[in-house]
Amino acid sequence: MIRQCAIIFGCLFAGELLVYLTGIKIPSSIIGMLLLTALLYFKVVKLRHVKAMSDLFIQNLAFFFIPPGVAIMLYFDVIRSQFLAIALSSVVSTLLVLTVTGWVYQKMKKNDD
Amino acid sequence: MIDYLAHSEVFAIALTFVVYFLSQKLYKQYPVFFLTPVLVTIVAIIALLKITGISYDAYNKGGNYIGFMLKPAVVALGVPLYLQLQEIKKQKWAILFSQLAGCIIGILSVVVLAKFFGASRSTIVSLVPKSVTTPIAMEISSTIGGIPSLTAGVVLTVGLLGSILGIRFLKLIRIKDHAAIGISMGTAAHGLGTARAAEESQLHGAFGGLGMILSGIITALLSPWIIGVLGNWL
């Protein structure tokens, strides 16, 4: 468990350090994710040394969104002032993104040979 | 009493766990889409804070510890990503083109629709990165002249919408391929969409994470350019 956390938080810290040193505008967690993938790919980290902890995090991913989600109460006023325009355009556009992304992927994907 | 609770970090953490646990039980009993545990928990906690007069900042002193775990949880998505690398390499063109198409349609449609429904310029611009994960979205918003806090609110709403309706909607329009479902969920509804996709299978989760990363990067690159071109019309 400690080794698993050391690897995951180590990748996260490397991501934060990279953001600090270069000033790039990409979240440190996403850099950490790519770094973890690279470490697994180049066999620096063994899969069984991160699998259990990563499964635990991913299975409960939605839970960690709750406190940032509650923050929406801070934006009620801004959202209320142009509610219809914001709601309709966001909903329709989200459905369009789902449709177009899924459809293009499904059309272009290569089937198993 | 309320004053004590408002200053208790442990109360905020315990509350979040208890309400989420109960919401999961409720959803097992009544599995209907509007009773999705994340949504129920957020609504219940907001209601409770409003009733008791506890501020968000007070709640978030404890909530912050839970929200912080999003960062290592996103890092952990590197594992399914690694496990699906073969599949990702094989589908590189499908991934690239579906990402470009999804991001462009996402930006253009929200701008045109918001303009049509009479939103102000700063609101329209704030909506542009609505599908992108919050930290990237807020960066994009401030770069193109939006209001980052409004963007954050919209991003959360879109994420909830995507996680609740996304898979259902994709089934309805006959998107059946597991990777296609995952990548659409990550592209349209960032981390919340990915979390929902990951509940289906590892493949769903890996492609969700992929969609979330790529759409964040592509939207960050395209938004200033598209808004620049549309500048006079807005």
Side-chain angles (χ1 to χ4, degrees):
Chain A
M1 200 276 251
I2 300 297
R3 167 154 52 192
Q4 309 228 347
C5 283
I7 294 169
I8 290 173
F9 280 92
C11 287
L12 180 58
F13 175 69
E16 299 221 328
L17 199 63
L18 198 75
V19 170
Y20 170 74
L21 293 175
T22 62
I24 46 170
K25 296 191 188 304
I26 296 176
S28 55
S29 57
I30 286 189
I31 299 171
M33 174 209 281
L34 296 173
L35 181 62
L36 179 59
T37 309
L39 291 177
L40 286 163
Y41 181 76
F42 293 111
K43 312 225 182 289
V44 181
V45 167
K46 288 196 178 93
L47 182 60
R48 64 187 166 85
H49 289 160
V50 279
K51 186 75 166 68
M53 200 37 132
S54 109
D55 284 348
L56 189 69
F57 271 124
I58 294 166
Q59 278 154 18
N60 297 297
L61 192 54
F63 176 71
F64 307 129
F65 270 98
I66 292 167
V70 174
I72 201 165
M73 67 189 279
L74 300 174
Y75 313 120
F76 280 161
D77 287 341
V78 202
I79 293 176
R80 193 180 297 139
S81 65
Q82 297 180 59
F83 180 75
L84 210 65
I86 294 174
L88 287 174
S89 57
S90 302
V91 171
V92 176
S93 176
T94 301
L95 296 180
L96 279 172
V97 175
L98 283 167
T99 309
V100 170
T101 312
W103 190 80
V104 171
Y105 184 89
Q106 200 162 270
K107 282 281 163 201
M108 288 191 68
K109 82 163 197 141
K110 285 192 191 149
N111 288 312
D112 291 309
D113 306 313
Chain B
M1 177 69 178
I2 289 200
D3 199 48
Y4 162 72
L5 293 179
H7 290 93
S8 168
E9 294 176 353
V10 178
F11 170 68
I13 295 170
L15 175 76
T16 312
F17 272 111
V18 171
V19 176
Y20 192 64
F21 174 71
L22 295 175
S23 305
Q24 280 184 322
K25 287 209 122 182
L26 180 76
Y27 187 70
K28 265 196 191 122
Q29 230 12 269
Y30 308 101
V32 280
F33 70 88
F34 58 86
L35 291 182
T36 300
V38 201
L39 179 67
V40 172
T41 308
I42 290 174
V43 171
I45 292 178
I46 290 178
L48 201 91
L49 296 180
K50 289 276 181 195
I51 292 165
T52 54
I54 298 175
S55 70
Y56 174 75
D57 287 343
Y59 163 75
N60 201 38
K61 280 210 184 84
N64 209 10
Y65 292 102
I66 296 170
F68 169 78
M69 297 309 268
L70 262 180
K71 290 182 179 192
V74 169
V75 174
L77 284 169
V79 172
L81 204 59
Y82 159 73
L83 291 172
Q84 299 298 334
L85 271 183
Q86 287 301 322
E87 186 63 17
I88 291 167
K89 271 188 205 155
K90 196 171 118 192
Q91 306 293 1
K92 55 182 181 295
W93 295 113
I95 292 169
L96 182 67
F97 281 99
S98 63
Q99 282 302 305
L100 280 172
C103 291
I104 292 172
I105 205 76
I107 298 170
L108 288 179
S109 63
V110 84
V111 167
V112 171
L113 286 162
K115 175 79 182 169
F116 177 78
F117 290 119
S120 68
R121 185 193 167 102
S122 67
T123 303
I124 296 174
V125 174
S126 305
L127 293 177
V128 165
K130 68 175 188 329
S131 296
V132 177
T133 185
T134 313
I136 303 187
M138 291 177 82
E139 286 292 343
I140 297 175
S141 181
S142 67
T143 312
I144 58 179
I147 310 160
S149 66
L150 174 58
T151 299
V154 174
V155 165
L156 284 163
T157 318
V158 166
L160 282 171
L161 178 83
S163 78
I164 293 166
L165 293 180
I167 290 193
R168 211 170 294 269
F169 177 75
L170 288 166
K171 276 197 182 121
L172 194 75
I173 58 168
R174 300 209 201 118
I175 307 288
K176 288 178 194 142
D177 183 79
H178 291 177
I181 293 173
I183 203 166
S184 310
M185 291 290 280
T187 306
H190 55 93
L192 275 162
T194 302
R196 177 66 189 85
E199 285 170 17
E200 298 288 304
S201 78
Q202 195 171 62
L203 181 76
H204 283 88
F207 274 77
L210 193 66
M212 178 176 83
I213 311 170
L214 293 177
S215 68
I217 296 168
I218 294 173
T219 307
L221 294 175
L222 291 182
S223 301
W225 185 73
I226 293 180
I227 293 303
V229 172
L230 294 175
N232 293 327
W233 177 72
L234 288 176

